[in-house]
Amino acid sequence: MIIFRGAITMKRKKRIRLTLLFAGMVAAAGLCGCSSDRDPNAEGRESSAADSTEPVQTEQTEAQTEQQTEKQTEATESTAETTSSSAQESRAETPPAAISGADDDTKLLWSERGLEAVPIDSKDGYGEELAAGSDYLNWTLNGFDGKPSGDAVPEVQADFTYNGQLQQNGQIRVLSGSDPYYPNGLYMHVDNLADFPYFPKDTRDRGWFVIENADEVLEFLGLKSSADISGDLSVTVSVDQLHVHVSADHYDTLHVLSASKR
């Protein structure tokens, strides 16, 4: 009996060892299983997804950059056009500096011939002196300024205000864009020359005036810009101010209160 029990005990020990060994193998297999549950291609898919995302982001960034560049270019071009247009319009619409009072080295004379400017101490000239504040052809002389040269006054400026409103028919044309004083300005020839002060010694074509407030006149005429005028445009206008600038290369200017097409 003793030998039989000992054999049984040895068999139990061997079973226990086999059981422990099997349990260890199962545990190891479980660990391997946990590790093997991870898809071996997962990293590849993540890498591929990351790679596929980068070109999309790059294309979006390039598109945004192109859009920003186009917007900046359009803004720059628009600013340049606006600046260029404003420069031309502002030059064409800026009235000459106002002149008031009498000149200290020049005097104006008036007669049936018209106006004449002579040096202040000159005994020459024809007509009566026209003082600042006096009327001539229903125009009030606000002031004048002459530049004597010897016994003559080749350049003189004078400001007049009409007593009321002077209505005139005439033709408007557009000056060249390269004009040094009024690029693309509105240039008007009046029909009734006798209604305006006149210097017989003025060598320029008589009856031509630049319109000071060109933007307003274009609105009166229903035009967007001076480019809408081709050739001569027949108009009727009302004026109230006149600036005379007797000089070989300058303009007389008018301020217009209303305008309409004829």
Side-chain angles (χ1 to χ4, degrees):
M1 293 298 294
I2 296 174
I3 295 172
F4 179 74
R5 289 180 179 176
I8 293 175
T9 302
M10 291 179 66
K11 288 181 180 180
R12 286 182 177 176
K13 289 182 178 180
K14 188 175 181 180
R15 287 177 183 175
I16 292 171
R17 290 195 191 98
L18 290 174
T19 302
L20 292 174
L21 179 60
F22 180 76
M25 291 175 65
V26 171
L31 293 175
C32 292
C34 292
S35 176
S36 62
D37 288 341
R38 180 176 176 84
D39 188 349
N41 295 323
E43 294 181 359
R45 286 200 297 269
E46 291 176 358
S47 176
S48 177
D51 293 341
S52 63
T53 304
E54 290 179 358
V56 174
Q57 293 177 347
T58 301
E59 290 175 0
Q60 291 177 349
T61 302
E62 290 177 352
Q64 292 174 354
T65 302
E66 289 177 358
Q67 291 177 356
Q68 292 177 353
T69 302
E70 290 176 357
K71 290 181 179 179
Q72 291 175 354
T73 302
E74 291 174 356
T76 301
E77 292 175 352
S78 176
T79 302
E81 292 175 359
T82 303
T83 302
S84 176
S85 175
S86 299
Q88 290 185 355
E89 294 297 332
S90 64
R91 291 192 68 183
E93 297 168 9
T94 302
I99 301 174
S100 61
D103 193 4
D104 58 358
D105 57 6
T106 306
K107 60 183 177 182
L108 291 182
L109 304 176
W110 71 274
S111 68
E112 69 280 3
R113 300 177 184 177
L115 296 175
E116 182 179 2
V118 296
I120 192 74
D121 55 355
S122 175
K123 302 299 182 181
D124 298 329
Y126 179 79
E128 300 292 328
E129 184 172 354
L130 181 66
S134 300
D135 289 348
Y136 175 70
L137 299 179
N138 211 34
W139 290 92
T140 299
L141 175 64
N142 299 323
F144 61 94
D145 179 29
K147 296 182 178 180
S149 178
D151 295 333
V153 183
E155 182 174 355
V156 60
Q157 297 186 64
D159 277 346
F160 295 88
T161 299
Y162 196 76
N163 297 320
Q165 297 182 24
L166 177 61
Q167 185 168 326
Q168 284 286 307
N169 293 327
Q171 294 77 40
I172 288 179
R173 66 178 56 170
V174 180
L175 291 172
S176 168
S178 61
D179 187 273
Y181 299 103
Y182 296 95
N184 298 315
L186 299 186
Y187 199 34
M188 179 177 179
H189 185 268
V190 298
D191 289 351
N192 196 350
L193 306 181
D195 288 337
F196 295 85
Y198 169 63
F199 286 78
K201 292 185 179 181
D202 189 353
T203 58
R204 299 171 299 168
D205 290 339
R206 187 177 177 186
W208 284 99
F209 304 92
V210 166
I211 295 176
E212 294 177 359
N213 54 324
D215 58 337
E216 291 182 317
V217 172
L218 289 171
E219 290 183 6
F220 295 154
L221 299 174
L223 303 175
K224 293 182 179 180
S225 70
S226 58
D228 294 331
I229 300 177
S230 177
D232 290 348
L233 177 65
S234 296
V235 297
T236 297
V237 301
S238 294
V239 301
D240 65 342
Q241 293 179 19
L242 165 66
H243 176 82
V244 177
H245 191 170
V246 178
S247 177
D249 58 354
H250 281 273
Y251 299 96
D252 296 346
T253 67
L254 286 177
H255 181 267
V256 175
L257 294 172
S258 64
S260 61
K261 297 178 183 177
R262 284 195 291 141

